[in-house]
Amino acid sequence: MSAQLFRTYAGDRIAIVSGIRTPFAKQCSELRELMALELGTLVVNELLMRTKIDRRLIDLVVFGQVIQMPQAPNIAREIVLNAGLNPETDAYSLTRACTTSMQTLICAAQEIACGHHEIAIAGGADSSSILPVGLSRRLADALVRSARQKKLADKLKAFRCIRPRDLLPVPPPVAEFSTGLSMGQTAEQMAKTFQISREIQDDFAWESHQRAAKAWQLELLSNEVMTVYPKPYHTSLAHDNPVRGKTPRSSYGELKPVFDRDFGTVTAANSSVLTDGAAAMLVMREQRARELELPVLGYLRAFAGSAIPVHKNMLMGPAHAVPVVLQRAGLSLSDIDLVDIHEAFAAQVLANLKALDCHQFAKELGLPSPAGEVAPSKLNVLGGSIAYGHPFAATGARMITQQLHELRRRGGEFGLVTACAAGGLGSAIVLEAADE
């Protein structure tokens, strides 16, 4: 297959003009009072103010959330209305688990490439602190039947079958609907399949925190992270609070495995944490950015998705998507200056890295040779989700924006961003640095 560089109908590149995010905060910490919609509105407002673009020019918002808010299921449309955009601005929401904001960028780019829209905002927001708590099916059924009755006596009859246990709230599920397995259990599968030791996982996680802490210390993230003033506005948050730069490596070994207490290696220390946050990107045709005299961060060169079986090693999506996206981009792994792999778990990242450099794995995919080894000097150079945290729908936009800034600092040309996702999904994007 020849390269399939992503362009508009007129041959224009799709430009990522700017990206911004909130600081990421651990569940039930500084951002606990903000709904996903409020986080999304904050970050879109900040993006518009920093770029100084006329809000009336935005004609599409594609936004995602993974932890759905029943009150506002179409978060994109609500952001249009809350952020003061033209109410005629088209908007739709989507979810693709941990690759959600990668997908919002892809969808926005496709709309622009087709000529359906000119300027779009893409991103995502999630709150793990404000969760949709459900009702038991028996209680929900009784409430529906009661609401359909007119007489009080008939309304009360609908609750005759209710037992005390039916009144208990139903928390959001942590396991896959199709398999009953949690993400952590899948990470344990992968650690065993690829023989990834606890020590190597802990080393990887510690390094992620060290790199993220150094990035903040050197103020490398200041231009892409806004300050948030959470309710009731007595404090502010300007940095990601999951980052543990001062935690000694020796303390990582003290934590017990979470998902396999007898033989496991996946712990809270080598996994990402539940997180609140939002991120957004401004996207348009390269020529349109020039017309508006807007500086460009970079370009979307190619993208690919993957879907694999879910009962074993479900988080191998990147190893399947990366060879495809490199082929579409007309590049090899050696051409890539920076690689960002989403760190749901250290075991998941390390397993995918092994697979990308494995001849047997390449043969199973029908490839003549493996994608190759990712040089440690190119991989997650500013740390990853284990350190920054992981608001599911915002992580992809964080990675894309962060990598484009770092490519510019290093004078690099091409970047690769890839992530696994629940349901056996994966996504990979090749980015191209903007010309100086």
Side-chain angles (χ1 to χ4, degrees):
M1 184 192 300
S2 60
Q4 300 175 16
L5 305 186
F6 189 68
R7 296 288 187 267
T8 70
Y9 61 95
D12 221 358
R13 291 186 291 183
I14 299 296
I16 302 165
V17 170
S18 182
I20 191 73
R21 67 177 175 90
T22 68
F24 289 173
K26 291 182 287 187
Q27 183 183 50
C28 297
S29 62
E30 281 90 338
L31 302 182
R32 64 187 178 277
E33 297 292 335
L34 295 172
M35 298 185 297
L37 172 57
E38 293 172 304
L39 290 167
T41 302
L42 283 172
V43 82
V44 167
N45 263 321
E46 186 75 12
L47 179 70
L48 294 169
M49 287 189 290
R50 291 197 183 196
T51 57
K52 296 182 173 60
I53 190 170
D54 187 340
R55 295 178 185 232
R56 293 170 296 182
L57 296 178
I58 310 298
D59 59 359
L60 176 67
V61 173
V62 188
F63 223 77
Q65 61 176 334
V66 176
I67 306 172
Q68 294 291 313
M69 290 174 54
Q71 309 96 313
N74 189 357
I75 188 174
R77 182 56 180 166
E78 298 299 333
I79 286 174
V80 166
L81 301 176
N82 284 6
L85 296 171
N86 186 337
E88 296 180 5
T89 301
D90 193 8
Y92 61 89
S93 305
L94 59 83
T95 177
R96 201 174 187 268
C98 304
T99 63
T100 292
S101 52
M102 295 175 72
Q103 189 63 46
T104 61
L105 171 62
I106 292 167
C107 289
Q110 289 173 323
E111 297 267 11
I112 294 169
C114 291
H116 297 165
H117 294 280
E118 281 211 328
I119 302 176
I121 291 174
D126 263 312
S127 170
S128 63
S129 299
I130 302 176
L131 299 173
V133 178
L135 305 174
S136 68
R137 293 192 66 173
R138 192 188 293 267
L139 179 57
D141 179 64
L143 287 168
V144 172
R145 286 188 286 111
S146 176
R148 294 172 64 89
Q149 305 302 320
K150 295 182 178 181
K151 296 181 180 179
L152 178 60
D154 293 332
K155 287 180 178 292
L156 295 176
K157 282 181 185 179
F159 295 95
R160 281 181 176 176
C161 62
I162 297 300
R163 301 292 179 264
R165 66 176 179 274
D166 298 325
L167 301 175
L168 295 174
V170 179
V174 295
E176 286 283 290
F177 182 82
S178 54
T179 65
L181 296 173
S182 67
M183 295 294 101
Q185 289 171 311
T186 297
E188 282 287 9
Q189 287 179 342
M190 295 166 71
K192 293 176 174 65
T193 299
F194 290 86
Q195 299 180 354
I196 301 168
S197 70
R198 164 77 180 270
E199 182 179 8
I200 293 174
Q201 292 176 56
D202 286 350
D203 284 344
F204 183 89
W206 180 79
E207 185 65 32
S208 181
H209 281 281
Q210 295 303 303
R211 290 180 174 184
K214 186 176 180 180
W216 274 114
Q217 182 183 1
L218 297 176
E219 298 185 352
L220 300 182
L221 306 176
S222 301
N223 290 336
E224 58 197 78
V225 182
M226 64 183 287
T227 299
V228 173
Y229 296 86
K231 301 173 183 177
Y233 314 113
H234 298 319
T235 60
S236 64
L237 182 66
H239 297 81
D240 307 302
N241 70 22
V243 179
R244 302 190 305 269
K246 295 182 179 179
T247 301
R249 169 64 182 84
S250 58
S251 68
Y252 281 56
E254 299 172 2
L255 276 69
K256 296 185 181 299
V258 177
F259 306 100
D260 180 351
R261 296 191 179 278
D262 295 324
F263 307 105
T265 56
V266 177
T267 71
N270 55 43
S271 309
S272 58
V273 298
L274 290 170
T275 316
D276 306 331
M281 300 168 285
L282 183 63
V283 188
M284 65 188 73
R285 291 182 295 108
E286 178 182 13
Q287 184 58 37
R288 191 72 174 110
R290 286 182 183 149
E291 292 168 1
L292 296 172
E293 298 182 342
L294 289 169
V296 173
L297 267 182
Y299 305 96
L300 176 61
R301 184 179 176 91
F303 56 84
S306 62
I308 61 175
V310 297
H311 287 87
K312 187 177 180 182
N313 301 335
M314 179 183 62
L315 302 179
M316 294 298 297
H320 288 76
V322 165
V324 179
V325 81
L326 288 175
Q327 192 172 47
R328 290 177 180 173
L331 302 170
S332 65
L333 199 51
S334 60
D335 296 317
I336 301 296
D337 297 293
L338 291 175
V339 177
D340 270 42
I341 300 181
H342 163 51
E343 300 171 359
F345 305 90
Q348 154 260 322
V349 176
L350 295 166
N352 277 277
L353 290 172
K354 279 193 170 186
L356 285 170
D357 197 31
C358 175
H359 286 272
Q360 180 59 35
F361 186 82
K363 185 178 179 181
E364 292 172 3
L365 296 185
L367 300 173
S369 61
E373 180 184 5
V374 177
S377 61
K378 297 181 179 180
L379 177 65
N380 294 10
V381 295
L382 300 183
S385 299
I386 287 176
Y388 294 109
H390 177 34
F392 307 118
T395 289
R398 172 194 67 79
M399 295 168 68
I400 291 164
T401 301
Q402 190 168 298
Q403 187 179 87
L404 285 173
H405 279 286
E406 189 62 15
L407 277 173
R408 174 171 291 182
R409 279 191 289 266
R410 294 175 178 237
E413 187 174 4
F414 300 116
L416 170 66
V417 174
T418 183
C420 61
L425 299 174
S427 187
I429 286 176
V430 171
L431 300 168
E432 187 174 348
D435 304 324
E436 290 294 338

